[in-house]
Amino acid sequence: NAGVTQTPKFRILKIGQSMTLQCTQDMNHNYMYWYRQDPGMGLKLIYYSVGAGITDKGEVPNGYNVSRSTTEDFPLRLELAAPSQTSVYFCASSPRGRGEAFFGQGTRLTVV
Amino acid sequence: GNSVTQMEGPVTLSEEAFLTINCTYTATGYPSLFWYVQYPGEGLQLLLKATKADDKGSNKGFEATYRKETTSFHLEKGSVQVSDSAVYFCALSDQSGANSKLTFGKGITLSVRP
């Protein structure tokens, strides 16, 4: 019963490096989301998708890109890592996009 | 725009104490309201929800009532346990669009002492 799986769990990047955060879900949900969580700031929406082939920006999309080629996968790409991208990243999926979301365990990213 | 305001934390309680965590919101239209919980080292989990005014959501001994007149959705539990130690997030989802995104409050950390 996997649900939403994120990899890696932890990563340290140097400034200017690139990486992809992986997210996959096995619940056949159409809606998927990427959030970042900063201390004392709650969760901010980076990008979301309402189905394969469709993505859109959230509140804080700068410095990130996404793709959604399949229902299951929703990777998040950081092209030129900056210290401001140090955060915990959560992927989530939803069956109906009406607020009930299932979250992965998160990826803790540090940019130095 | 939509926003959620939670009381400042952290909150520390003794086991079996009564818990109230305040949450107020600003939204256009008629949002659905949620409480999510994040246990240490884990992702968020839906704790309870309410979709219309005067609805009461409940789960695991926690309750919250959707109060439209005071735009509030306060979380309560009559007797907390050590296992309730976690971060609690209030959130709303406005139902006006095809994809209703969640807006979260800042979260509050609850620690329960034995």
Side-chain angles (χ1 to χ4, degrees), chain B residues 50-113:
Chain B
T51 58
K52 60 183 187 296
D54 300 324
D55 265 3
K56 178 186 282 188
S58 62
N59 187 24
K60 299 182 180 179
F62 291 90
E63 292 183 340
T65 300
Y66 189 142
R67 301 286 188 202
K68 191 168 185 293
E69 64 276 12
T70 55
T71 62
S72 64
F73 193 53
H74 305 322
L75 183 68
E76 296 182 335
K77 187 174 185 183
S79 175
V80 294
Q81 306 300 312
V82 172
S83 57
D84 294 327
S85 299
V87 182
Y88 291 82
F89 293 92
C90 186
L92 71 81
S93 174
D94 78 71
Q95 304 299 300
S96 58
N99 175 33
S100 303
K101 299 179 287 294
L102 281 165
T103 299
F104 286 91
K106 292 185 177 181
I108 186 168
T109 300
L110 170 66
S111 298
V112 181
R113 298 184 297 236

Side-chain angles (χ1 to χ4, degrees), chain A residues 37 48 97-101, chain B residues 36 38 49 89 95 99-100 106:
Chain A
Q37 182 184 30
Y48 67 97
R98 294 289 183 179
E100 294 188 45
Chain B
Y36 278 83
Q38 184 180 28
K49 68 173 185 177
F89 293 92
Q95 304 299 300
N99 175 33
S100 303
K106 292 185 177 181

Side-chain angles (χ1 to χ4, degrees), chain B residues 3-69:
Chain B
S3 67
V4 175
T5 303
Q6 293 185 232
M7 60 184 277
E8 293 289 325
V11 173
T12 303
L13 295 173
S14 296
E15 204 164 25
E16 299 184 4
F18 183 85
L19 169 71
T20 299
I21 301 177
N22 289 343
C23 171
T24 57
Y25 68 90
T26 302
T28 54
Y30 303 96
S32 292
L33 302 174
F34 305 84
W35 277 100
Y36 278 83
V37 59
Q38 184 180 28
Y39 298 105
E42 298 185 10
L44 280 71
Q45 303 174 25
L46 179 63
L47 180 60
L48 54 83
K49 68 173 185 177
T51 58
K52 60 183 187 296
D54 300 324
D55 265 3
K56 178 186 282 188
S58 62
N59 187 24
K60 299 182 180 179
F62 291 90
E63 292 183 340
T65 300
Y66 189 142
R67 301 286 188 202
K68 191 168 185 293
E69 64 276 12

Side-chain angles (χ1 to χ4, degrees), chain A residues 10-21 78-83 85-86 108-112:
Chain A
F10 304 94
R11 183 72 187 268
I12 298 175
L13 274 184
K14 293 185 178 177
I15 294 171
Q17 286 186 321
S18 301
M19 78 163 293
T20 299
L21 281 66
L78 283 71
E79 289 295 347
L80 291 170
Q85 294 177 305
T86 294
R108 184 175 294 275
L109 176 67
T110 302
V111 182
V112 296

